[in-house]
Amino acid sequence: MGKIKNFIQRIVGRGKEKELTVRSIVTDMYGGNVGWFAYNYASNIYSIPEVRTAIETFADIFSTVPRYFERVDKHSNIEYFENAASRVINLKPNPLQNATQFWKNLITNLMLYSNVFVEPSFNGKTGELEQLYVLPQTSFDFTLNGNTATVKFSGFDKSYDLDDLIYINRYPSLNGGKRNDLGLYEMVIQALAAQAINVADPKKPRAILQSSAGQSGNLKERDKTGVLKDLKGNFDETVNGIVYFDPQWKVTAINWTENDVNRELMKSVINIVYNYFGMTEEIINNKATEIEYQLFVKNKIEPIAKQIEQEFTSKIFSKREIEFGNRLELDTFNLSVSTLAAKTQFFSVVGRGGIMNIDEMRENIGMPPLPNGLGKMYRVTADTVNIEIVDKYQKAKNGNAAENIITDDTQSATSEGGNNGQAEDTESV
């Protein structure tokens, strides 16, 4: 223990350390040095409950984002397809993890270390994606040689062509971004650790010993010392938890419970940690409003989802497949409209405006399509008409059929709203 303490003294440069009665973890591992304990505690940030809660909540939410393989043509028509690679992405990335475990692992490493590397494995015969592995976290360095970039991991002394790895980071830069830095958190941890150690100090006053009523309190200094020694001796010789002391004394306990830790300071630092990882107390405790949750998805989830889309698309598909519009899509919209009430209101607008058909709306609430293709038709309400034919449409709707003014365009527009334009808004879906 002396060697550890001397080592800490040389590092910190404080010379002779002040004697402290501290908790065993600080005494045994950090030589009683509060600053050294706080530094190591804050450095291993995932062991901090607030950090773990923020990261796990973020990873849990992100793992629920639907992932689609799709092909987009020049007219922006989207065709969804399923193949071996999509099953790896959505079902079984590797023999040790299912899709949810893999994506939680990826996001946890990203939030914890700011950088994460994923190694894809392809079938030697078909060239299709077979497995995905999140590489263990270690220090790394990038090297750029012309059009080729390599990354070397010092932890397991191996180099990769960066084109062979999927690389995601929170703080993009050419040298790999920066590491997580919770300096402010570390400073506050030092303050909280000092408070906790002070609470655990057995020399901290716990009670007041006073003379009973009617007894003289004018004791000399040596008499006070003798009384406390007698009291200590009696407490050391307890019998089945029972202790005796002279009835001329009474004990008044001191309750330090409310002052053990600065709760306002702790609440402030928890919010700092939550914000650092893109979370809020309301989201973690399931108290966020619809707007708050939408902003969280828009500002925190979508940027990471977009980076993942780009990296996975460029590394999983061949250049020829990418030219034909193949890509990975992460559909964060489902998170934005999260509650059933919000989805109901949303469907009432997009359904009447022809933005979504019945099958697409049913898919968003986990229901199958309507049989016989009945849900594939897009419908609009009859109160919105092409401005070029609005006068003719209105006359036709009012029953002026004798004027024979219904053109082909008018007939088409009215048939969308119902039979010959006579349908009311209530017939629209």
Side-chain angles (χ1 to χ4, degrees), residues 302-320:
E302 284 191 12
I304 296 178
K306 181 62 64 176
Q307 188 180 168
I308 289 177
E309 287 177 350
Q310 295 169 349
E311 268 292 289
F312 274 74
T313 297
S314 64
K315 302 298 175 61
I316 290 177
F317 293 106
S318 67
K319 292 182 180 180
R320 187 64 173 167

Side-chain angles (χ1 to χ4, degrees), residues 315-333:
K315 302 298 175 61
I316 290 177
F317 293 106
S318 67
K319 292 182 180 180
R320 187 64 173 167
E321 289 173 325
I322 295 175
E323 290 174 358
F324 276 95
N326 289 12
R327 69 184 186 186
L328 170 69
E329 179 197 5
L330 272 65
D331 186 8
T332 58
F333 176 76

